[in-house]
Amino acid sequence: SSIFNYNFPNGTTKVFVVYGSGEDIESVCGGKYGKPYFYVTSDGTTASVSFNAFSLSATLSNEATIYNGMNNKLSLTVTNNGVQEYLDKVKVYVSSTETKPKEASNTLYLTVPANGGTATRDVTVCPAEAGNIYVWVDDVNYNSLLSAKQFTVAQKTAPVLTLVSVETNAVADLYETNRAYVKSSDGNEYYVKAPKTYDDEATFTFKVKNTGGATDSKWFVRFQDINDPTHYKDVIVEKRIEPNSIETIEASVSPADIGNSRFIYGEVYVNTDGTNTFSIPTCSESLDIFRLPIIDANGVATEYHYVINLKNCSAVYVPETTTLPTYKDNGSTYWATYSCQSSDTEIGVPTGRSVTLYNSTVSGGHLTLTPRTGDYAHKVAKGEAVLIKTDGESVKVDNLGGAAISLSADTGNELIATGDTEEILTAEVGYLFYRLAYKNSESKTGLGFYLSVVNDGSTTTRDGSRIRTTPGKGYLKVANSASTEGSESSPASAFLLEGGDGDNTTDIECITVTEDNTSEDSADERVFNLQGQQVKKPVKGIYIKNNKKVVIK
């Protein structure tokens, strides 16, 4: 022991034992991580000494009823009111009596910051009998943080589980009718009307109602190619289901997980006894058996169906897509023109997003946008162009090449598709060209259809008499008479896309006419990755630019 006099400041001071000669300190005793050192806590009058500067306390709680014979989670929170971080073990003891066991049931490694910091962990208990359990919590030095905390254990009863719904992430009223087919037991192939998603994965959601006791359940979901069961992936979801509740079992799979299969079938099985034996869950009488309408040579659903006599399953089609960048207007809406000269295509967005395709016409100096409907609500015929409105920086394009059924171009649309190659076109006498561009390409403001500006290296035209087209887009070719409003003698130089937020459709149906001139052509120099995210400084790899794949080496 040692006695020394020192006027310690208020608070806690860490004191090291050092060695040396005279006033020269050579080193701390015990080396870099060694001891002895201690802490002195002073209030200006008295001082106390300890070998640790952390001060721990603990709370333990349960959100759900604790049952015997199953795993139950308790929430342990450890608080440190000291000045030293705690980085060590915390031991949890559990007993059915008020006598503390000699051995800990759980050992947790915690980092608890100093000065009021906390750390929270789940502690699992599985009481053998109904009644009570008692829980103790100690730090690494066996100092008690919590003593004999009592919890009531209820008697477990058998669960009564019923599968009440089977859903996928398919888009409402969107179906794959060109490439989705099934093979029947007689060896024939039938094209079907298949639910379709524009997410990267197929997601299946199974809702389960429990009218019995609580249970630790396991759900086995098998995903597979609907026509080739050798391409599959199994997913196990563990879920505690409380009495009188409806729980959701969700699992996802990508086409790459099952041999790049696009038409994905999934079915669910359940286990509640802790083994690895799974069975078909009891299904609600209101739940239909799985069936897909068979379509005829014209793509029309017939009265016949492909049927699997099960209720615990469904299917969804996940197409392979490319990314089409869009342009943001002055609000939170994004626009783009689009066309394809090689095949019919379909435009989609992931779950939670929205997209609308429009036909465009010009009359009386106004541009009118009409939402496309029916087969054309999402699809674009080969060689036609559309205007796209969405709520994100890109949309997905599904190439329907090879489809048995081809679309004809929709009627009432004056937007013209660009060709397969970049070219400069000259308007016929009495007509003008308008293209989608920003008024200020640097600030990305004033998005609309402007009289096209072309600089071919020797001559610059700004009056819409010429246009430089790039593949995969669309432009307006408008008669002078249609681009003039009322008694105005000059045609509109721009149709400005304003807002389009919320449910106000006036900004969609009648676009404001402006007389401002755009200063120059607004070529799209943006670069996107294959997920549709804009990349400011691309490195080596494959990217999307101007709706084309480019390789940066």
Side-chain angles (χ1 to χ4, degrees):
S1 63
S2 176
I3 298 176
F4 56 92
N5 293 319
Y6 181 74
N7 185 19
F8 286 96
N10 288 356
T12 301
T13 303
K14 188 174 184 178
V15 181
F16 291 89
V17 178
V18 300
Y19 65 88
S21 176
E23 294 183 357
D24 296 327
I25 298 175
E26 294 185 13
S27 186
V28 177
C29 292
K32 182 178 180 180
Y33 300 106
K35 293 185 179 182
Y37 61 79
F38 56 92
Y39 296 88
V40 177
T41 302
S42 174
D43 61 5
T45 303
T46 59
S48 60
V49 177
S50 66
F51 286 97
N52 294 303
F54 48 78
S55 176
L56 303 182
S57 61
T59 60
L60 194 64
S61 62
N62 61 307
E63 294 184 359
T65 302
I66 299 174
Y67 294 95
N68 68 306
M70 60 182 292
N71 291 325
N72 303 269
K73 287 185 178 180
L74 305 179
S75 179
L76 172 66
T77 298
V78 177
T79 302
N80 182 6
N81 288 314
V83 297
Q84 178 190 7
E85 178 184 63
Y86 184 82
L87 180 59
D88 218 318
K89 301 174 184 177
V90 167
K91 299 182 178 182
V92 181
Y93 303 80
V94 181
S95 175
S96 59
T97 69
E98 296 183 65
T99 302
K100 181 180 179 181
K102 293 182 179 180
E103 299 294 331
S105 303
N106 295 272
T107 299
L108 308 175
Y109 291 85
L110 298 184
T111 298
V112 191
N115 302 312
T118 62
T120 300
R121 297 288 186 276
D122 286 334
V123 176
T124 301
V125 295
C126 185
E129 304 292 339
N132 295 317
I133 58 169
Y134 302 86
V135 183
W136 296 257
V137 180
D138 291 350
D139 68 14
V140 68
N141 296 317
Y142 298 97
N143 296 310
S144 177
L145 309 184
L146 191 69
S147 180
K149 172 78 173 183
Q150 180 179 326
F151 295 92
T152 300
V153 180
Q155 177 63 50
K156 178 184 176 182
T157 58
V160 180
L161 303 181
T162 304
L163 184 65
V164 294
S165 74
V166 180
E167 300 172 355
T168 71
N169 58 333
V171 180
D173 300 322
L174 183 65
Y175 299 93
E176 175 58 47
T177 57
N178 293 296
R179 295 159 300 183
Y181 67 91
V182 293
K183 295 179 180 178
S184 65
S185 57
D186 58 11
N188 293 321
E189 294 181 354
Y190 298 94
Y191 281 87
V192 294
K193 186 178 180 181
K196 188 174 185 179
T197 181
Y198 274 97
D199 292 336
D200 293 330
E201 297 182 321
T203 299
F204 286 59
T205 303
F206 306 92
K207 291 186 178 180
V208 181
K209 183 177 182 179
N210 184 11
T211 55
T215 182
D216 286 329
S217 61
K218 285 184 182 180
W219 297 85
F220 174 94
V221 183
R222 166 154 290 190
F223 295 106
Q224 67 182 53
D225 183 320
I226 197 166
N227 294 310
D228 187 354
T230 64
H231 292 157
Y232 70 91
K233 180 180 180 180
D234 297 332
V235 178
I236 292 181
V237 179
E238 297 186 12
K239 178 79 71 169
R240 174 177 170 134
I241 303 181
E242 298 293 336
N244 302 312
S245 67
I246 295 179
E247 289 290 343
T248 297
I249 313 300
E250 186 174 284
S252 300
V253 67
S254 71
D257 293 330
I258 53 173
N260 291 319
S261 300
R262 295 288 165 183
F263 198 1
I264 299 174
Y265 168 81
E267 55 189 17
V268 67
Y269 300 87
V270 66
N271 169 272
T272 59
D273 62 9
T275 67
N276 287 319
T277 301
F278 294 87
S279 59
I280 296 176
T282 300
C283 297
S284 169
E285 291 185 3
S286 62
L287 196 60
D288 291 330
I289 62 172
F290 175 73
R291 64 181 68 208
L292 293 169
I294 295 175
I295 60 176
D296 61 21
N298 297 313
V300 178
T302 68
E303 60 181 308
Y304 302 102
H305 290 78
Y306 172 76
V307 177
I308 295 179
N309 196 27
L310 294 172
K311 295 184 174 184
N312 62 321
C313 56
S314 189
V316 64
Y317 192 90
V318 184
E320 183 176 8
T321 61
T322 56
T323 299
L324 174 69
T326 57
Y327 303 84
K328 188 174 184 293
D329 65 12
N330 295 339
S332 57
T333 306
Y334 295 76
W335 302 83
T337 61
Y338 171 76
S339 65
C340 180
Q341 294 289 353
S342 60
S343 68
D344 297 345
T345 52
E346 186 173 73
I347 308 297
V349 289
T351 299
R353 294 268 311 278
S354 65
V355 63
T356 305
L357 275 56
Y358 292 98
N359 289 337
S360 307
T361 56
V362 178
S363 177
H366 285 263
L367 172 63
T368 300
L369 304 184
T370 304
R372 291 159 68 95
T373 58
D375 287 340
Y376 299 96
H378 296 277
K379 293 179 180 178
V380 183
K382 173 183 175 181
E384 76 166 337
V386 295
L387 180 65
I388 299 170
K389 173 190 169 186
T390 186
D391 52 2
E393 293 184 349
S394 65
V395 295
K396 293 186 175 183
V397 179
D398 180 15
N399 189 313
L400 303 178
I405 305 161
S406 298
L407 286 175
S408 300
D410 198 10
T411 57
N413 186 18
E414 296 177 359
L415 202 63
I416 299 174
T418 56
D420 286 330
T421 59
E422 183 176 310
E423 56 185 340
I424 296 177
L425 303 177
T426 300
E428 303 167 21
V429 176
Y431 286 87
L432 298 172
F433 290 133
Y434 292 82
R435 60 161 293 173
L436 184 65
Y438 286 110
K439 179 180 179 182
N440 187 321
S441 59
E442 292 185 359
S443 62
K444 306 295 185 185
T445 54
L447 183 65
F449 282 93
Y450 291 85
L451 285 173
S452 61
V453 178
V454 174
N455 184 343
D456 61 10
S458 60
T459 305
T460 298
T461 56
R462 302 178 181 276
D463 59 359
S465 61
R466 298 191 300 167
I467 188 170
R468 185 190 301 274
T469 66
T470 54
K473 299 185 178 181
Y475 62 92
L476 287 169
K477 179 183 174 183
V478 182
N480 288 354
S481 57
S483 64
T484 304
E485 182 177 15
S487 60
E488 296 290 334
S489 59
S490 299
S493 59
F495 304 100
L496 187 63
L497 297 173
E498 292 184 331
D501 295 335
D503 296 325
N504 186 357
T505 57
T506 57
D507 289 330
I508 297 173
E509 296 172 352
C510 187
I511 296 176
T512 303
V513 178
T514 71
E515 296 300 329
D516 296 326
N517 288 315
T518 181
S519 59
E520 59 181 89
D521 213 12
S522 301
D524 188 2
E525 295 299 323
R526 294 176 298 168
V527 176
F528 295 78
N529 61 23
L530 296 181
Q531 286 71 48
Q533 301 163 322
Q534 188 172 356
V535 179
K536 298 293 186 182
K537 296 180 180 180
V539 294
K540 292 181 179 180
I542 301 175
Y543 297 87
I544 303 295
K545 183 177 180 181
N546 279 324
N547 199 32
K548 297 179 181 178
K549 284 187 178 180
V550 296
V551 179
I552 297 180
K553 299 181 178 179

